[in-house]
Every structure is written in structure tokens, then in C-alpha cells.
Amino acid sequence: MHHPQVLRSQMRWECHGGQEESKQEQIYVGRSLMGPPTPFTLMPMPGVPITHTQQPYVTGTSVLGLIYEGGVLIAADTAGSYGSTTRFKSVERMKAVSNNTLLGASGEISDFQAITQLLDRLIVADAMWDDGNDLGPLDIHNYLTRVMYNRRNKFDPLWNTLILGGVKNGVKHLGSVSMIGVHYVDNHIATGFGIHLAQPIFREEWKENMTLEEGTRLLEKALLVLFYRDRSAINKIQVANVTEDGVHISQPYALKSEWNLEAFKNPTASAAGSW
Amino acid sequence: MEPMACQWTDAPHSMGTTIMAVEYNGGVILGADSRTTTGVYVANRASDKITELTDNVYLCRSGSAADSQVVSDYVRYFLNQHTILLGRLATVKTASTLVKELSYQNKSFLETGLIVAGWDKYEGGSVYGIPLGGTLLRLPFATGGSGSSYLYGFLDQAWKSNMTQEEAEALVVKSISLAIARDGASGGVVRTVTINEEGVQRKFYAGDKLPLFHEEIAPRPTPIHAN
């Protein structure tokens, strides 16, 4: 970010040894984006570093992603869990950041909403330069890495694992950023339970230049396993297709699940006891 | 016994609560129970948990009574200023966003789940749920408080879209009554607030007039038996 206002405040911060900044700043990213301290802080404590290390309340489970011939496919279910309760069943966990980048998140939904609000402002500020160059998926990925890592260092994390995918100038990008700032890119990515259940499937079955159909089928296969085996998952998913031309997020739909297996009907019939 | 006797005098005021709001074709209905507890003692058996933010937007409060009151006071103040500046009624979305900002930015201090609902000319009736943490979600209906746990199954079955005002009101009263029947932290009377284009209407359903459920019995004069 080379916005002049950010540079000036950074210089001031260096000169005065951080006092001015720590007196006012509660959010540690780009003054120009978060704006001056708002009246929404109920207990402002000048000079005292605010330590939160929160706990998540409303959470989303796995997000999956993979690269295919035309771009990037990212999928997630629409559940918002509140502890062990599936409290909200129509939560959007993926959002288009710009017309060639998509962000998906697992973890605390309120923090995801704050991140998308932050990115909206970032994209607008970038577009206002009108310099013929807009932030691409890799740029957003790096930016989010800084955001997440800096919050982690203040013991005030954004409680999410983010999946960032997009295409720019023909180059496809798919990456992940965790709440502690761990970041990487790969051809196929998953968060949460998906790391354990979906990634092994991807490692076996992903290949270069899959078609849209093949990629979607592979994501659905992994999502079905997650529906069977992740207690926080529900059978209501959205799949997003990100290409150079645009981002398209599907309407929520449900997968066909298989329960009509003979072995399921009477599992204890030949057992000693009832288990 | 000494520590037990003092426990509820020192415990923070909490509204265990059951709150809900439902959107119907033409407006919204907000509902709540009326019990405020400090530990196990019922500090107020007739509290009013549905608070006005503006003429057309109200707030259902749950969780810590103090936290929800202070959030509500701030938002009422902000919206008052905003309405003067804007020159017309605030939208439900604006009110909800302000409540969300306070909830989210102070998540480490606050323990309150809120539901904002009201009517404006752009969206008609709208309901916004703001659970712990400060997530903002627009919903066709929202529930909150400890009593809401008992309503998930009931509402999965009983709620339907495009209800009339009467249907929505009946659903709200029945739901809160069911929650009161099972949740120790909810009780008292059922209060409802209906908000639509015409304005705001408050209703009061007395505790002894609520429907009786499983294993509950109706009050009757004391039976006197001659010896």
C-alpha cells in the first residue's frame, strides 16, 4: 500500500517511538482503511495495549478449493455453528473480493464479515488510483497474511482460516492464510476438517487442467465425505467458480447422500450383546 | 449455607431470557419473556426486554442486562443524531449495523445477544440477529437467549414464510410460552411488539393466561376438606 496518508502516519510512528499510534490505534491495519478511532470503543484505555485472544462464537467449518483449467473452484457449506448447535443454516462463507478474486473463510463469522468490509475498502482505495492496475489474488493473499500475522502478534487474532483464490493475467492463484499468519499456496486447499478428510482425496485425484465438470465433481465428492463425517457440516453447499472474467457463486444446493446400505440396516444383528 | 445465601445478591443481573422476532408480510413481531435473574433469584419478574431504538426500530435484549442496556443506550443516542442529520426515519439496516459495530468492536467485554427488528419503507419489515461475537445476519426470523435452545425443533416445524400478522403473533406467543415452560432462566409474562407501516403496538400476555403444556395444571381455588 503506497497511499500517502499511510506513509505519513508510519513516519510519525517511527519518529515518536510508537506512542501516538498506540494511544489511538486499536486496529493495526492501514489507517486510511480503518479510519480514525470510532465511538464504538466502549472502554478506551490510552497507552495500554489491548490483549484479547478471544474465543469464537458463531463458526463456519471447512472450506475447500482447487485449481482447474479455467480458473479456481472454491466450495463451502452454509452453516453457522454456535458451539455444538447448528444455529444458522444460510450463512454466506464466501464473498467475491473483486471481479477476479474470491475469499472463503472458516472460523468466526463476525471476523470474516470484518475482513470482507476491510477488503471492500481496500479494493475501492486501489481502484481510485485509476492507474490501470488493480490488486490481484496474490496481492490480496499477501495483504491478508500481513493482517492476520499482525493481529496474531497483538494477541488479538481474527479467528479465521482464509482461502483466497483467483486469476490474473492468466495466472491462477489459490492460497490459504490461517489465524496465526501461516500462509501457503497449492493446487488444492482445505481448511479445518477438510485438511484431514478432503486433502487426501485431492492428493489422489487432482490433476492438471481438470474441466469445470471434473473439478466440481471432485469438490462435491470431498464435501459429501465432510457431510458424513464432520458433525458441524450440513448438506447445503455453495460452489464458487473464479475465472479471469468474473466470480460466480452458485445458489445453495444439497448433495445426494447414500444411506441405503444393507450393512446399515441391521448392524447389530449378528453381534453378541447389542453393539 | 452462608456463601449460598449471598450468591444471588452478588451475582450479576442476567437475562437468561427467551427473545425472538419474526418477519411477516407487512412488518415484524418481536417477542420476549420477562424474567431477570441474579444467580438463582428472580430480580425482576416483569422486565421489559424489548427496547425502543427509534420510532420504527426496536431491540430484543438477552444475556447480561447491563451490557444490553448500555449497547441499547448508545445506539439510541447515535440513531437520534442520525435521524436529525438524515431528516427521515432511520432504516432497520442502519440500526442493526450500529448495534453490530458496538457488539463486534467490544466483543471481549460484552456478553449480550441481540435481535434488531423494525419497519422501514425500503425493505418493509426486517429482522437482524446479532449473536455473541458481533456477527450480523439478516434472517426471516431470529431467536435468542437461553430459552431459544428449546425452540429450534419447534420452529423448524412451525415457522413458514409469508405469515399474516395474526399467524406470526400466535407463533411468537406460543414459542415464548414453550420456552418459559422448560427454561428456568425464562418466565413471567410474554410481551410482544408489532411494528409495521401504521406504527408500533405493544401487547401483554399475563403469566397465568399463557397456554399450559405437558404436566402443567391450571390454578383453582384451594380445596378444603372437612374432617
Side-chain angles (χ1 to χ4, degrees), chain A residues 26-27 39-43 45 52 54 57-58 82 85 87-89 91 108-111 113-114 117 158, chain B residues 74 78 98 100-102 104-110 131-137 139 143-144 152 156:
Chain A
Q26 202 182 354
I27 313 291
F40 294 105
T41 314
L42 291 173
M43 286 177 63
M45 292 189 284
H52 300 277
Q54 333 133 6
Y57 293 102
V58 181
Y82 191 75
T85 306
R87 186 165 177 185
F88 305 108
K89 294 197 261 192
V91 178
E108 170 67 43
I109 302 297
S110 64
D111 285 342
Q113 290 180 342
Q117 194 176 61
L158 288 159
Chain B
Y74 269 108
F78 292 144
L98 288 169
K100 178 267 287 180
E101 275 302 298
L102 275 166
Y104 179 71
Q105 300 296 352
N106 299 283
K107 64 162 81 188
S108 47
F109 305 124
L110 294 174
L132 258 49
T135 312
L136 176 66
L137 288 169
L139 301 162
T143 58
Y152 285 103
D156 272 350

Side-chain angles (χ1 to χ4, degrees), chain B residues 126-187:
Chain B
S126 4
V127 172
Y128 288 84
I130 305 163
L132 258 49
T135 312
L136 176 66
L137 288 169
R138 179 160 182 205
L139 301 162
F141 72 95
T143 58
S146 54
S148 67
S149 307
Y150 305 95
L151 297 176
Y152 285 103
F154 172 66
L155 287 167
D156 272 350
Q157 262 224 337
W159 178 85
K160 51 191 211 288
S161 58
N162 283 108
M163 285 187 280
T164 64
Q165 187 182 322
E166 290 72 32
E167 286 175 319
E169 176 104 27
L171 184 69
V172 168
V173 175
K174 187 165 188 187
S175 303
I176 307 284
S177 306
L178 280 167
I180 287 173
R182 291 292 185 176
D183 179 31
S186 302

Side-chain angles (χ1 to χ4, degrees), chain A residues 229-242:
Chain A
R229 300 293 182 174
D230 178 2
R231 78 165 194 188
S232 324
I234 61 170
N235 192 9
K236 188 172 173 187
I237 60 167
Q238 285 181 295
V239 180
N241 179 12
V242 194

Side-chain angles (χ1 to χ4, degrees), chain A residues 75-117:
Chain A
D77 70 11
T78 63
S81 302
Y82 191 75
S84 58
T85 306
T86 306
R87 186 165 177 185
F88 305 108
K89 294 197 261 192
S90 299
V91 178
E92 273 216 49
R93 298 201 288 118
M94 301 186 295
K95 275 267 162 70
V97 172
S98 62
N99 85 324
N100 59 12
T101 309
L102 179 101
L103 174 71
S106 61
E108 170 67 43
I109 302 297
S110 64
D111 285 342
F112 170 62
Q113 290 180 342
I115 290 168
T116 52
Q117 194 176 61

Side-chain angles (χ1 to χ4, degrees), chain A:
Chain A
M1 289 311 297
H2 301 296
H3 195 288
Q5 205 171 336
V6 172
L7 277 177
R8 261 209 301 283
S9 70
Q10 278 174 347
M11 280 162 60
R12 230 182 318 160
W13 181 69
E14 269 142 36
C15 289
H16 294 266
Q19 281 162 344
E20 195 169 88
E21 285 295 311
S22 64
K23 229 187 284 189
Q24 292 172 331
E25 280 305 273
Q26 202 182 354
I27 313 291
Y28 308 98
V29 290
R31 217 182 217 286
S32 58
L33 295 168
M34 295 306 292
T38 66
F40 294 105
T41 314
L42 291 173
M43 286 177 63
M45 292 189 284
V48 175
I50 294 146
T51 58
H52 300 277
T53 317
Q54 333 133 6
Q55 50 163 319
Y57 293 102
V58 181
T59 56
T61 184
S62 323
V63 180
L64 312 177
L66 52 78
I67 290 181
Y68 76 107
E69 70 180 351
V72 184
L73 285 167
I74 297 179
D77 70 11
T78 63
S81 302
Y82 191 75
S84 58
T85 306
T86 306
R87 186 165 177 185
F88 305 108
K89 294 197 261 192
S90 299
V91 178
E92 273 216 49
R93 298 201 288 118
M94 301 186 295
K95 275 267 162 70
V97 172
S98 62
N99 85 324
N100 59 12
T101 309
L102 179 101
L103 174 71
S106 61
E108 170 67 43
I109 302 297
S110 64
D111 285 342
F112 170 62
Q113 290 180 342
I115 290 168
T116 52
Q117 194 176 61
L118 182 67
L119 288 179
D120 279 346
R121 293 172 189 175
L122 178 74
I123 296 296
V124 167
D126 177 55
M128 288 208 294
W129 281 103
D130 198 23
D131 55 3
N133 184 34
D134 295 321
L135 292 170
L138 177 62
D139 309 315
I140 311 258
H141 182 125
N142 291 333
Y143 177 76
L144 285 174
T145 302
R146 291 302 109 216
V147 170
M148 302 299 269
Y149 183 60
N150 272 277
R151 288 289 295 259
R152 168 263 189 197
N153 286 341
K154 311 290 180 188
F155 285 92
D156 182 21
L158 288 159
W159 209 284
N160 296 110
T161 308
L162 304 170
I163 303 259
L164 213 299
V167 192
K168 188 180 173 187
N169 297 332
V171 178
K172 305 180 195 88
H173 175 92
L174 178 63
S176 170
V177 187
S178 81
M179 66 185 265
I180 54 173
V182 172
H183 60 286
Y184 54 91
V185 296
D186 207 342
N187 291 315
H188 41 80
I189 285 221
T191 71
F193 234 79
I195 295 171
H196 302 99
L197 296 179
Q199 277 285 47
I201 299 175
F202 293 157
R203 285 183 197 122
E204 273 297 303
E205 300 189 20
W206 182 88
K207 54 188 205 289
E208 294 273 355
N209 292 323
M210 292 171 81
T211 64
L212 177 61
E213 168 98 29
E214 287 174 324
T216 309
R217 292 274 163 263
L218 183 55
L219 277 178
E220 286 181 349
K221 181 172 186 176
L223 284 162
L224 186 60
V225 173
L226 288 168
F227 170 59
Y228 288 145
R229 300 293 182 174
D230 178 2
R231 78 165 194 188
S232 324
I234 61 170
N235 192 9
K236 188 172 173 187
I237 60 167
Q238 285 181 295
V239 180
N241 179 12
V242 194
T243 62
E244 184 102 51
D245 307 314
V247 177
H248 177 259
I249 306 178
S250 74
Q251 284 292 93
Y253 65 99
L255 298 166
K256 180 110 190 24
S257 61
E258 187 56 67
W259 298 92
N260 200 22
L261 296 158
E262 281 308 311
F264 286 1
K265 287 181 185 161
N266 225 341
T268 58
S270 59
S274 52
W275 54 89

